[in-house]
Amino acid sequence: MKQFRIRKDDKVVVIAGKDKGKIGKVIKVLPKKDGVLVEKVNMVKRHMRANPYRQQPGGIIEKEMPVDISNVMVMCDACAKATKVGYRYTEDGKKVRFCKKCNEIIG
């Protein structure tokens, strides 16, 4: 199974594509498609049929579509920049992610 440096609830910035520069929170990571769903990024309109069993109305809805994971970078909370992610172990033996620009722990 693939391991990604981006996880659910991370704050990311889009670095390529039509939504370049937008910042959002990761809703879901899709490892089979190498993609991520980012809040309010790559919005599309879809025609949905009403589903009375789920109490869903029909009509045209806007929803997020996956963005390739290579087109997003993690935003560091400390330095507020898009950064690469590294891994290190703490004194108690826990593996944590850190910002390569400011060496602060992410998450």
Side-chain angles (χ1 to χ4, degrees):
M1 185 155 162
K2 298 176 187 175
Q3 180 200 4
F4 297 121
R5 299 177 192 279
I6 296 171
R7 296 183 187 158
K8 184 179 175 181
D9 296 327
D10 277 349
K11 192 174 173 186
V12 295
V13 61
V14 180
I15 58 170
K18 69 174 187 175
D19 293 319
K20 183 177 180 176
K22 287 189 179 178
I23 298 169
K25 191 172 90 170
V26 175
I27 301 169
K28 191 174 187 180
V29 178
L30 307 165
K32 288 185 180 177
K33 292 185 175 182
D34 292 339
V36 288
L37 279 177
V38 182
E39 211 171 48
K40 302 294 181 200
V41 172
N42 200 15
M43 298 295 287
V44 295
K45 291 186 178 187
R46 289 289 178 253
H47 296 265
M48 297 295 288
R49 182 177 287 139
N51 189 343
Y53 299 110
R54 288 188 180 170
Q55 284 82 33
Q56 285 180 339
I60 301 170
I61 63 162
E62 273 199 274
K63 67 177 191 175
E64 295 96 355
M65 291 300 281
V67 178
D68 198 272
I69 203 154
S70 65
N71 293 341
V72 295
M73 280 184 93
V74 176
M75 286 276 294
C76 177
D77 294 327
C79 60
K81 295 179 183 174
T83 182
K84 290 185 177 181
V85 176
Y87 287 97
R88 72 165 70 120
Y89 291 94
T90 59
E91 292 81 33
D92 59 336
K94 234 178 141 178
K95 187 176 180 181
V96 294
R97 299 181 302 159
F98 72 96
C99 170
K100 291 239 180 164
K101 288 189 178 177
C102 66
N103 286 326
E104 286 292 319
I105 292 175
I106 298 173

